[in-house]
Every structure is written in structure tokens, then in C-alpha cells.
Amino acid sequence: MNYQPSQGLQQFKNLVGIKFQLYNSLFTSLPFHRIEKTGILLSLLLTICEDGYKKRQSPEQILEEFFQKHTTLAGEREKADVLFRFVQYVERQIVLFDALEDAAFKHVNDMSGAGTLKHLLSEVIQTNKEEELTEKLKDYSVRMVLTAHPTQFYPGAVLGIINDLSRAVIENNAADINLYLQQLGKTPFLKKQKPTPYDEAISLIWYLENVFYHASGRIISALKDQFPHAVDKNNSVIKMGFWPGGDRDGNPFVKAETTLRVAEALRGAIIKCYYLDVRRLKRRLTFKGVDVLVAELEQKLYNNIFIPGLKTELTKDEILEQLGQIREIIIYQHNSLFLGMVDNLIGKVQVFGLHFATLDIRQDSSVHTSVLAAIAAKERLVPEHYASLPDARKVELLTELSGTVNPELYDDPLIRDTLDSIAAVRTIQRGNGEDGCSRYIISQCSTASNVLEVMGLFLLCGWSKKDLTVDIIPLFETVDDLRDAAAVMKTLYENPHYREHLKLRGETQTIMLGFSDGTKDGGYLMANWAIYKAKEELTAISKEYAIDVVFFDGRGGPPARGGGKTHKFYASMGKNIANKQIQLTIQGQTVSSNFGTVDTAQYNIEQLLHAGISNDLFSSKEVTLQADEEELLHSLSVESYKAYTKLKEHPHFLAYLNEVSPLRFYNETNIASRPTKRKSSGRLELKDLRAIPFVGSWSQLKQNVTGYYGVGTALQWIDKQGKWAAVKRLYVNSPFFKTLLDNCEMAMKKCFFPLTEHFSAHPVYGEIWSLIYQEFELTQKYIFKLSGKNELMADYPVEQLSIQMRERIVLPLSTIQQYALTKFQALEKSGAASPLKEVYERLIMRSSFGIINAARNSA
């Protein structure tokens, strides 16, 4: 019987909706102060919130009415204490919901349906495209890069409880569920200190060891079982990347020492994974001739992780060679007994090597310019007044630099670390293999010299042009930079020295495109369209110069930062965009929501693999946008950009976000090691504000501006131009445009304007609130007109219900946060030195935890 979406919805209702109601009753036994009364009062508050917003009451009015009618509390401190208890209670309800969704995943989703590996293999066989698949897999891969951009507040202990709770739910073990919920009640959700970059790395290495390692092994084994000769031993179909410890863009806490420690931790973690697998093999491969080889391999791995101070010259090839010998003996002498276990481990070693994940280095382009200027002033290895030279002159001289810089001469910690980080790349490659650290990403890249400055610094740090085993990756982010990207790459491709470097790197150029800063700069529609066009133009210019271009997408969790239906975007790219590999960042709650368990990770990795392969093997001209369709999308993007720019340039735009949302408190939440702004100056500037706090603040306001603003205006404009029929055709025929609006709907589904409606009458912020609300209503009207539906996300009923349930759970927290913001600002404006000010500040931040964790479904 074919799997129907209605089956998934019913399973979700049964396994998540009903079970949430059942297990929710266990919360009354949680070890909180007066917990029974807290649960009853919270349930009452939820009803009062829903009724109050229908009556257009403000959060302050709703909570004051609640305290007056349903409690005997009079003092502000007592009221705040109750609100803190509500926050604690809701936080744990959200954990329960997460665990239930994880446990139900295999039943709610069709694990053999469209987009899965089984479906792909079936398509290949039915269309007789085995040869095409083999050719594709020679150099095709999916690279998932785990980033140092956490947007989830769960400490590691809580993530562990979610994992255990999910398992207990799957087993219907009520005793363990009750026990874990009690453990949850005793486990703090607060992080008392900011995590260091190394802490962030260790948190994400847990996912590599416990999720990606096993999910990747399953996928590679399945591919090899079906098509033994399709997976090329020189190309691992799955690749992992890693940013914590290497991403130093705007993070003063990442040092070269951190980078080396993280690389060592990655190496140790993957060897430990191999060691445990070899131990399991040893229990089965007890045959003559094999047992000795397995024992030898076990000892080699043991020596590299358990003997203090001992690190042997173990290599990936050495492990594979020994496993190959074991494999041959099993096949020819022991009837291939337990061969599947050996092949599974071989597949993992081919994917993860001794590096586990490639540690990327990332730095802002302006830093490289400053370092070269400092070298010019101190050592004269760079022409004097380098910084003031025209770009064309810089391009000429950067590839001709000679001499070796002395890092000891520089006192500035940023300059010293930049030089030390380049030295660290060589150290890591010696210990973890070349894949351990072979990519240098340049953020805020806008010129060819920005790229060649990195090449020049490597040359000055002792690397020669012939042994520069590093891919230099420009990151284009703003609308202007995306528009100019092809011209920048043309200049680089025409530079003989850089061209020679690309020849050494397999005639391949990786280019990163940033969604997060793109939407912050240009709004939702323009950012997505600018990236699409940049990819088309970069594909064309790279093809002209016989370069294989690979796109690396900087995507966040929500649609406003490039998330949402990611695999559908890749499947909709068409023939005009290079499809050599899929590379993307996995960040924030996307790590735990889409890759938190082996089943979810396997499913979502398969979706990405399928998207890239099917786009090449089965894509038709209908998927590729035609010239008139591109013209239509360009017109829509321009109109959308105009509307978003007008909002962004409103004199109260940033002040509104800073006052009405928790933006100003982001840096105090101890969520990440990086500051919320790129520069430490006191004045709030949009260009310095990082995309995560920017998008996250709109999300907590339940306004999600960067996920839809300007879309309605653009559709209305095209309608008035008499081109509605053309837009309708585009929506029906173009997977790209359809996915774009699907993700837009996801962002809108999580909006709730009654929460902030009281600002509509505000003397300063009333106008900007009304502008945002009117655009939301206009966008919704035109999306309904396009889709023929009368509710958002109607095509995705499971996710629609998940969002509805999560938003209902979190409504009291949003109300409490707005109430606390109002109280805090009143005290701040009065100038009174009240201890309550700190209480409300903590309440704002604590509410943020639950609100953001509840948004786990990437919206």
C-alpha cells in the first residue's frame, strides 16, 4: 500500500498529540516548588492568554488580570517568582514534545518514499540509469558543515535526556519516562557561563560520534549493496565539515591554540569510534588468519587514544589496507561471513578518515588587509602603503610575495593569531590528513584582492605555491557582493598564479554564498533570487574557464536564514546551476531537529543526496527557469527589495527591534561564544549586527519580518501589471518558486501579531508595527490567491500541526517575555535603582530559552 500524507498526520496525532496530553500529566510529579499548583495555574494562564488576545489586550493587561483574578499575589517580586516557575514548567513541556517527535519520526515519515535512498535506487533501476549514477558518484558528494552558530539553549545534559526520553517513549516504558521527567525537573536549563569555542566543539562532536557516524555508515552500506561499483573509493559521497574552533570571524575567543585542540579532539573521537567498531568485529571475526589482523588493528587504535602522550603515525590508508586484507580472507576463506560488518566499517573510514570532519578556517576579509598592512610596516615583505593601493595593483603583487614573516614580531593579538592559524593548518594536516583542515573561507568578500590576500599570507607563512593544499573560498553575502561575484571570479580565473593554484586543486573552485546576511541586507525574496542568479552567473563564468565550481551555502535553521525545505531547493535548481556537490552549513536547532537521531539524520541526508542526484539524472527543462520566468522573478525581487529597503530605512526600524524585542539581551544569554555584533562599538548598526540575533529577535516577537516582508507588495505590484496569470503559471510549474513560497508560509505560520498589537497605537512605534502587519496580511492574501488554499502550510499538514501545538505551548512564555520587557523599560525610563530591574531582565532571557527551543522545527 502506498504511503499517504494523511497516514503521517494520523500517526502524528496518535504518537505525538495524544501522547503529549497523556505524559503531560506526569509533570505534576516534577520536583518543583508547589508544582501541582503551578501546572493548574499555567493551564489557566494559557486560556486567559488566548481569550485576552482575542479581546486585543496587551501582555501586561493579560497578566495583571490573571494575577488579580486568580491569585492572591500583591508584590512584584512574588509575581515574578510565579512567572519563573511557569517558564521552568513550559521549558520541560517543550523537551517532552521534542522527545515525542523524535520517537515518532519513523512512523510519521515515509522512510522509503520520495526523496529517500530506496526511492532513488528504485528510480535508477526503472530508468536504466545505473551507468549515469556511477558517473555521477565519481565526484558528487553532500558536505554538511556543523557551525559555531548555536541558536538553541539546551545544555548538553538536557539533550541527553531528550535522547533517553525518546528511547523510553519508543519502548512505551512509562516507568523510565516518569524517571527521566523527574531527572529533567532537577536538571538546570541555565548556562551560568558562556561556552568557549572548545565547549561548542565538544557539544557538536557528540553528534558526529553518536549520529552522523552511524547514519553515514548505513547510507554508504545501502548504496554499495545495491550498486557495488557505483561508490568510488576516491570520493566519499558524504563529507562532514566543522566550524567551532576554526571560525574566527568576529569571535575574539578563537585562537590558534583552540583550532589545534579541536582538531585533536576530532581525531581522537573518530579513532574511538573505529576502536569500538573493531571491538565488535573482534567478537565475530574469530577465524584463523583474520583474528590476528583484527587484534593488530585494535591495538593500533588503542595506542592512539588510551595511552597518555603516545600518538603513532597512524593513517587512513593504513587502516583501510588492514581492513582490505581482512575482507579478502573472509571472502576467499570464510564464505564472506560477517562481510557486511567489515564493509560498513570500510565505508565509514572512507568517509571520515582520521579527521572526522574538515575543520574550516574562516576570517573577515578586512582582517587580512590589516595583517598585510602591518607586515608592510614592520618587515617590508609587502610594499609600503599596501592598504592604500588600488585593487588591480594588489592583485598583481599578492601572488609574487616572497620571504617568511616572523609572527613573534607582532604584539597585536589579532595579527598574531591570523599568522598562527595559517601555521596551524599545516600541523593539522600532518596529524589528521589533508582533509583535516584544507579550506580557508573569507567572509565579507567583495574583491579579487580579498581572495589573493589569503593566498599571499600563506606564501609569507612558509607555504610554496606548489604545496598550497588549501582551498581558498570567497564568501559573498550582501546583495551587492552577490551581484558582483561573477566579475570577481573572472578576475581570479584570469590571474595566471591563481589559475595554477586551481590546477593543483583539481580545477575546482568552491564558492560560499550567505543566506543569513543576504536576507538581513536585501529581504527574503531578493536574497534568495540574488543567490540563484549569482549561482547561474558563477556557473557560466566557471564553465567558460573550464573550472568546476562547487557552491557552499551558508544556511541557517529558519527560512529567513536559508532553512526550511532545503532539499527541495536543491532539487529545483535546474540545469543552469552547477550541481557537482551539495555543501551547506547545519546550524542552530537544525542540528538537533533534523539530525538529532540516527533515523532523522539518515532520512535528511538521504533527502539531500537524492536532491542533487535526481536534479542531474532526472531533471528536465521544466525544472530549469526559462528566460521569461527569470524576468518575472527578477521583477518580483526588485519590488520586494524596494519594500524591504523602505522598512529597513525607517528612522525607528532598529530602535523598534531593540526596544520591543529581546535583541539587547541576546549577548547575556550565554548561548554562544561569539558576541552578537561584529564590532564592539556602543552604537547599534545594522551592518554590524549578526544575522542570528537579528532574525531571532523578529522570531521571538512573532513577526518573522525577514521571512516574508516585501513578498506581498511584489505580488500585488505584478497583479496590477496584469501579469497574474504568468505568476500563477510560475507557481505551478517552477519548483524553485513554489519552494520559495512554501518556506515563506512556514515563516508566516509562526507569526502571532496579537502579541504586539498594543504597539499599533504607540506614538513612536505605531507606524512601523502597522507597516509590518499590513505586509503580513497582504502577503497572506496573495499566497492564498496563488495556492487556492485558505490556510498557511496546507500542503504540509504534519508540520502545520507541529507548529500549531508548539506555538500553543509557548504562548504563555511569549506573553511573559513581553510583560517583562514592558516592566523593565518602565523602570529604565524612570531611572529608579530598583532590584526588580535585574529580575525582569532575567525573566526576559529565561523566556527566550523556551521560545527559541520551541521553534525547533526550523521555522
Side-chain angles (χ1 to χ4, degrees):
M1 185 176 71
N2 290 332
Y3 187 94
Q4 299 295 327
S6 59
Q7 290 176 257
L9 180 61
Q10 191 57 51
Q11 292 280 41
F12 186 90
K13 289 177 179 177
N14 293 339
L15 299 176
V16 181
I18 293 173
K19 283 192 174 185
F20 179 73
Q21 299 303 323
L22 289 172
Y23 294 136
N24 199 26
S25 62
L26 294 175
F27 274 89
T28 55
S29 64
L30 289 183
F32 292 154
H33 172 61
R34 295 168 68 188
I35 188 68
E36 299 88 351
K37 195 171 182 181
T38 300
I40 294 165
L41 285 174
L42 179 62
S43 179
L44 187 60
L45 176 59
L46 174 58
T47 303
I48 289 168
C49 285
E50 290 175 329
D51 292 342
Y53 288 123
K54 286 175 185 174
K55 294 186 285 187
R56 299 193 167 185
Q57 290 180 314
S58 70
E60 187 177 16
Q61 289 170 325
I62 288 169
L63 280 171
E64 292 297 353
E65 182 180 308
F66 166 76
F67 286 127
Q68 184 181 349
K69 290 184 178 179
H70 302 285
T71 74
T72 56
L73 302 172
E76 294 298 310
R77 172 76 70 169
E78 287 177 297
K79 291 177 181 176
D81 286 344
V82 169
L83 296 179
F84 275 115
R85 290 213 305 275
F86 287 160
V87 172
Q88 281 185 304
Y89 199 102
V90 173
E91 281 175 335
R92 284 149 179 86
Q93 284 183 313
I94 293 163
V95 167
L96 172 61
F97 198 88
D98 287 348
L100 289 168
E101 279 202 329
D102 284 348
F105 188 86
K106 280 205 299 186
H107 303 284
V108 171
N109 295 277
D110 186 357
M111 304 299 284
S112 302
T116 64
L117 197 57
K118 286 183 180 176
H119 185 258
L120 172 68
L121 300 180
S122 174
E123 281 183 297
V124 169
I125 292 168
Q126 287 174 15
T127 55
N128 295 314
K129 294 205 171 184
E130 289 91 337
E131 288 185 15
E132 288 93 331
L133 176 66
T134 301
E135 188 63 30
K136 177 69 177 173
L137 291 181
K138 282 182 180 177
D139 58 7
Y140 175 73
S141 63
V142 168
R143 181 188 293 263
M144 293 156 290
V145 181
L146 306 182
T147 77
H149 298 17
T151 55
Q152 190 171 55
F153 291 90
Y154 290 141
V158 175
L159 288 170
I161 295 171
I162 293 175
N163 191 281
D164 295 340
L165 193 54
S166 297
R167 195 161 53 245
V169 169
I170 291 169
E171 296 166 357
N172 282 316
N173 190 328
D176 277 356
I177 291 167
N178 187 42
L179 198 62
Y180 295 144
L181 289 177
Q182 288 193 52
Q183 180 191 3
L184 199 63
K186 290 284 190 182
T187 304
F189 276 48
L190 271 175
K191 296 179 181 178
K192 293 183 179 179
Q193 294 180 320
K194 276 184 175 293
T196 66
Y198 186 73
D199 293 334
E200 291 172 337
I202 296 303
S203 295
L204 286 178
I205 287 173
W206 185 92
Y207 285 99
L208 286 173
E209 290 178 297
N210 293 283
V211 179
F212 288 98
Y213 180 75
H214 301 289
S216 300
R218 284 186 189 177
I219 292 169
I220 299 300
S221 291
L223 263 175
K224 286 183 174 179
D225 285 347
Q226 188 72 51
F227 301 110
H229 306 294
V231 182
D232 193 302
K233 66 178 182 179
N234 298 314
N235 175 56
S236 57
V237 177
I238 298 168
K239 297 179 181 179
M240 296 302 303
F242 208 75
W243 275 15
D247 179 13
R248 54 222 335 115
D249 174 18
N251 191 339
F253 308 111
V254 178
K255 306 293 183 188
E257 179 192 0
T258 317
T259 306
L260 292 168
R261 279 187 74 201
V262 170
E264 189 65 31
L266 286 164
R267 185 180 189 273
I270 190 57
I271 292 175
K272 184 173 75 173
C273 287
Y274 295 155
Y275 174 77
L276 293 173
D277 268 355
V278 170
R279 292 274 295 176
R280 282 186 279 270
L281 272 178
K282 191 179 180 183
R283 288 172 66 90
R284 297 288 166 261
L285 302 183
T286 52
F287 326 131
K288 183 181 177 181
V290 175
D291 54 349
V292 176
L293 289 172
V294 175
E296 281 180 7
L297 183 55
E298 179 195 16
Q299 190 61 48
K300 286 178 184 177
L301 296 168
Y302 180 92
N303 292 344
N304 272 266
I305 48 177
F306 294 119
I307 299 180
L310 180 64
K311 181 178 175 182
T312 67
E313 295 296 320
L314 187 67
T315 66
K316 170 184 173 181
D317 289 341
E318 185 180 347
I319 297 172
L320 287 172
E321 184 181 349
Q322 195 132 357
L323 287 171
Q325 290 176 25
I326 292 167
R327 188 178 192 277
E328 291 291 307
I329 295 172
I330 288 174
I331 291 172
Y332 294 108
Q333 297 181 27
H334 301 292
N335 301 318
S336 298
L337 204 56
F338 301 117
L339 182 62
M341 290 179 69
V342 177
D343 283 345
N344 182 273
L345 181 53
I346 288 173
K348 289 171 180 173
V349 177
Q350 287 171 338
V351 170
F352 298 111
L354 286 182
H355 63 285
F356 217 158
T358 301
L359 184 57
D360 290 348
I361 308 293
R362 183 172 81 129
Q363 184 57 281
D364 189 277
S365 62
S366 62
V367 172
H368 306 132
T369 306
S370 299
V371 172
L372 285 164
I375 293 171
K378 187 155 284 192
E379 296 188 74
R380 307 287 177 172
L381 297 173
V382 178
E384 199 174 359
H385 310 303
Y386 167 79
S388 61
L389 294 174
D391 198 66
R393 178 68 185 120
K394 288 179 182 178
V395 167
E396 285 177 16
L397 66 88
L398 283 166
T399 52
E400 298 291 349
L401 296 177
S402 60
T404 304
V405 69
N406 181 5
E408 303 286 342
L409 298 177
Y410 300 90
D411 297 325
D412 186 316
L414 187 58
I415 292 170
R416 178 68 183 271
D417 179 70
T418 303
L419 299 173
D420 287 346
S421 68
I422 291 173
V425 174
R426 195 189 294 276
T427 303
I428 295 167
Q429 288 193 357
R430 278 199 297 263
N432 295 16
E434 184 180 315
D435 286 336
C437 189
S438 58
R439 290 152 52 100
Y440 197 111
I441 299 159
I442 308 154
S443 55
Q444 303 289 327
C445 185
S446 56
T447 64
S449 66
N450 289 156
V451 176
L452 293 176
E453 281 177 339
V454 171
M455 188 174 181
L457 284 170
F458 270 89
L459 296 178
L460 290 173
C461 288
W463 296 68
S464 72
K465 292 177 185 176
K466 292 182 179 179
D467 72 354
L468 186 48
T469 51
V470 176
D471 293 321
I472 303 171
I473 303 173
L475 166 53
F476 301 108
E477 299 171 273
T478 66
V479 172
D480 287 343
D481 289 346
L482 288 164
R483 185 191 60 223
D484 298 338
V488 169
M489 296 314 300
K490 179 179 170 66
T491 301
L492 289 168
Y493 292 156
E494 290 179 347
N495 182 286
H497 300 282
Y498 190 75
R499 193 67 180 75
E500 192 62 28
H501 170 66
L502 289 181
K503 188 176 180 181
L504 291 170
R505 303 304 293 163
E507 304 284 11
T508 300
Q509 172 68 57
T510 303
I511 298 172
M512 187 173 181
L513 304 162
F515 281 81
S516 295
D517 281 287
T519 48
K520 188 187 81 173
D521 179 53
Y524 177 70
L525 202 55
M526 175 54 86
N528 279 279
W529 179 241
I531 288 170
Y532 186 96
K533 283 304 294 177
K535 284 185 174 182
E536 275 198 334
E537 291 166 6
L538 288 165
T539 299
I541 196 71
S542 300
K543 190 174 182 180
E544 183 181 330
Y545 286 88
I547 299 294
D548 284 327
V549 66
V550 174
F551 295 118
F552 175 24
D553 293 319
R555 292 179 173 274
R561 293 197 296 112
K565 304 291 178 186
T566 307
H567 60 280
K568 289 199 171 185
F569 259 123
Y570 287 115
S572 71
M573 290 294 100
K575 296 285 190 182
N576 295 336
I577 290 176
N579 188 36
K580 189 180 176 71
Q581 298 176 29
I582 286 178
Q583 297 190 11
L584 73 163
T585 54
I586 307 292
Q587 53 183 271
Q589 59 264 56
T590 310
V591 178
S592 60
S593 63
N594 290 358
F595 304 91
T597 68
V598 176
D599 287 332
T600 57
Q602 181 179 346
Y603 181 82
N604 284 299
I605 294 170
E606 287 184 10
Q607 293 284 324
L608 290 170
L609 282 169
H610 186 282
I613 294 171
S614 65
N615 195 24
D616 213 36
L617 267 60
F618 310 116
S619 178
S620 64
K621 63 180 182 179
E622 285 78 19
V623 174
T624 305
L625 290 170
Q626 302 303 299
D628 58 330
E629 293 174 327
E630 289 209 358
E631 187 180 339
L632 188 61
L633 268 167
H634 176 74
S635 300
L636 286 167
S637 301
V638 168
E639 292 304 314
S640 176
Y641 183 49
K642 287 177 187 174
Y644 177 73
T645 302
K646 186 177 179 182
L647 176 73
K648 195 173 66 171
E649 292 176 351
H650 190 286
H652 302 304
F653 179 71
L654 271 183
Y656 172 78
L657 188 62
N658 201 39
E659 288 284 319
V660 178
S661 82
L663 174 65
R664 61 194 291 193
F665 303 100
Y666 249 86
N667 210 39
E668 310 305 318
T669 54
N670 295 335
I671 184 175
S673 65
R674 293 201 311 177
T676 57
K677 295 195 299 179
R678 282 191 167 89
K679 295 178 183 176
S680 58
S681 59
R683 186 177 175 186
L684 184 63
E685 296 277 357
L686 185 59
K687 62 183 174 65
D688 295 331
L689 188 61
R690 293 195 176 280
I692 285 175
F694 179 73
V695 173
S697 294
W698 287 117
S699 174
Q700 289 190 61
L701 266 184
K702 301 299 173 189
Q703 293 182 352
N704 284 333
V705 161
T706 45
Y708 62 86
Y709 200 93
V711 175
T713 296
L715 289 172
Q716 183 185 54
W717 177 83
I718 214 82
D719 189 14
K720 289 179 177 177
Q721 298 295 308
K723 298 180 181 178
W724 186 253
V727 175
K728 184 76 175 178
R729 281 195 303 274
L730 185 66
Y731 181 78
V732 171
N733 296 328
S734 166
F736 172 75
F737 188 53
K738 175 69 164 62
T739 304
L740 203 63
L741 292 187
D742 283 350
N743 284 345
C744 183
E745 288 187 52
M746 190 187 292
M748 294 174 72
K749 186 66 182 174
K750 302 200 73 173
C751 290
F752 184 67
F753 280 89
L755 178 71
T756 52
E757 190 172 355
H758 57 288
F759 281 103
S760 62
H762 193 279
V764 178
Y765 301 133
E767 182 184 13
I768 200 162
W769 186 92
S770 297
L771 281 171
I772 295 167
Y773 178 61
Q774 287 162 14
E775 184 64 28
F776 174 88
E777 289 286 292
L778 187 64
T779 303
Q780 181 173 255
K781 171 189 168 184
Y782 273 97
I783 282 179
F784 287 168
K785 187 174 178 180
L786 262 182
S787 67
K789 310 283 173 43
N790 58 6
E791 55 181 19
L792 295 168
M793 293 189 70
D795 290 341
Y796 303 96
V798 172
E799 283 122 311
Q800 183 192 56
L801 181 57
S802 174
I803 290 173
Q804 286 171 351
M805 291 184 71
R806 286 176 177 274
E807 290 300 292
R808 192 162 188 268
I809 294 168
V810 89
L811 184 60
L813 290 195
S814 298
T815 305
I816 289 168
Q817 185 181 70
Q818 280 295 312
Y819 170 83
L821 273 164
T822 302
K823 293 288 188 181
F824 176 86
Q825 287 159 3
L827 287 171
E828 192 173 49
K829 284 170 185 172
S830 71
S834 170
L836 283 171
K837 188 176 172 184
E838 185 181 341
V839 172
Y840 290 127
E841 185 175 0
R842 283 195 299 116
L843 195 53
I844 293 163
M845 289 188 291
R846 283 304 303 276
S847 300
S848 290
F849 294 7
I851 294 169
I852 287 193
N853 288 339
R856 173 184 168 181
N857 43 18
S858 303

